[in-house]
Amino acid sequence: MQELAALGARASVCTDCRLSETRTNVVFGVGRPDADVMMVGEAPGRNEDLEGEPFVGAAGHLLNRLLAEVGMGREEVYIANVLKCRPPGNRDPRPDEIESCKGYLRGQLDLVDPRVVMTLGNFATQLLLRTNTGISRMRGRTYRWWRDKVLIPTFHPAAALRGGERVTDQIREDLALMRSVLDSMDAGEGVLAEPEQLGLF
C-alpha cells in the first residue's frame, strides 16, 4: 500500500523527539498492509533498533510461537509499536515521546484498518483505550473500539520472559480469544464486547 509506505518513509527521517538522536534505525512496522489483526507493542528494543523491524528479539520469537499455536503466522498480521525509536537502555516511553510519535500509529491503524487490534502491555493498552488501569485488570476481555473494531489487551511478550509460564499462559488465552473473535466475525456472528470507547487516541 503506497500510503503506508509513504508514512513509513516520513517516519524514517523523523526528528520530532529526543529519541532521533540515539536511534540506529526507525522501527516503523511490518506485516500485511491489509491484515485482519494488528498488534501494537511499546517500543523497539536493542535487536529491533539494530534490524529496523519490530519484535525480532526473544519476545518476538515467543510471540511468533504463540501465534502459531492459534494457527496464524507472523506474516498474516501487522505489527507496530507506540514508539518507532528505541528509548535508551530500554527505559519506559516518556509522555512527550508518545505524544510526538502517536500520529504515526494513528496513521497505521487508519491505513491497515484491521478488524481486531491487540495491545501488548500497559503503554499500548492505556493509550488506545484512554485508561490508567493496568494490563492485569484489562486483559482477558474484548472492547468495542474505534470504527467498530474489537480491541483485546494482553501482556507484552517480554513480561512472559520475566514472569514465566503463568504469564505465557495468559497471553495464550488472549490469543485464543482473538482467534475466536475472528472466527465469529467470519461466521457473521456478533461479538460480545465491553462498551465502545469513542474516538481514536
Side-chain angles (χ1 to χ4, degrees):
M1 185 185 290
Q2 288 184 334
E3 292 175 65
L4 194 60
L7 184 64
R10 281 208 341 254
S12 72
V13 294
C14 178
T15 57
D16 288 350
C17 81
R18 63 176 74 84
L19 298 181
S20 64
E21 300 168 9
T22 56
R23 73 183 179 222
T24 304
N25 286 295
V26 168
V27 183
F28 182 66
V30 67
R32 283 187 56 169
D34 61 347
D36 285 332
V37 177
M38 181 166 166
M39 301 192 140
V40 182
E42 176 181 312
R46 179 178 179 275
N47 291 306
E48 291 76 16
D49 179 55
L50 291 173
E51 296 190 33
E53 184 173 317
F55 286 89
V56 294
H61 293 311
L62 176 59
L63 179 61
N64 294 347
R65 177 165 62 84
L66 295 176
L67 276 169
E69 289 181 10
V70 295
M72 298 183 74
R74 177 186 175 93
E75 69 281 356
E76 295 178 64
V77 303
Y78 190 87
I79 305 175
N81 281 307
V82 172
L83 296 188
K84 309 309 183 196
C85 298
R86 180 195 182 197
N90 291 351
R91 64 161 169 75
D92 287 345
R94 294 175 178 167
D96 61 315
E97 295 164 352
I98 294 172
E99 188 63 31
S100 294
C101 207
K102 69 182 184 182
Y104 293 114
L105 178 58
R106 187 184 293 121
Q108 288 170 305
L109 286 159
D110 182 42
L111 293 169
V112 177
D113 198 23
R115 294 192 290 173
V116 177
V117 176
M118 287 200 76
T119 50
L120 310 178
N122 273 318
F123 284 93
T125 301
Q126 291 175 351
L127 176 65
L128 270 63
L129 286 179
R130 301 184 188 184
T131 181
N132 293 318
T133 304
I135 188 64
S136 296
R137 290 181 56 194
M138 298 296 290
R139 64 152 296 272
R141 289 180 284 177
T142 57
Y143 298 83
R144 186 73 60 183
W145 194 56
W146 173 68
R147 281 188 187 163
D148 212 32
K149 302 180 192 314
V150 173
L151 190 148
I152 302 172
T154 193
F155 290 106
H156 195 286
L161 297 177
R162 296 188 302 267
E165 200 60 31
R166 182 183 65 84
V167 178
T168 303
D169 285 342
Q170 290 175 310
I171 298 175
R172 187 176 278 121
E173 290 169 6
D174 296 332
L175 286 168
L177 176 60
M178 174 268 287
R179 177 81 263 180
S180 70
V181 166
L182 280 180
D183 290 345
S184 294
M185 289 175 167
D186 289 340
E189 301 169 357
V191 177
L192 292 175
E194 300 289 331
E196 182 176 1
Q197 304 287 324
L198 297 177
L200 190 54
F201 56 91

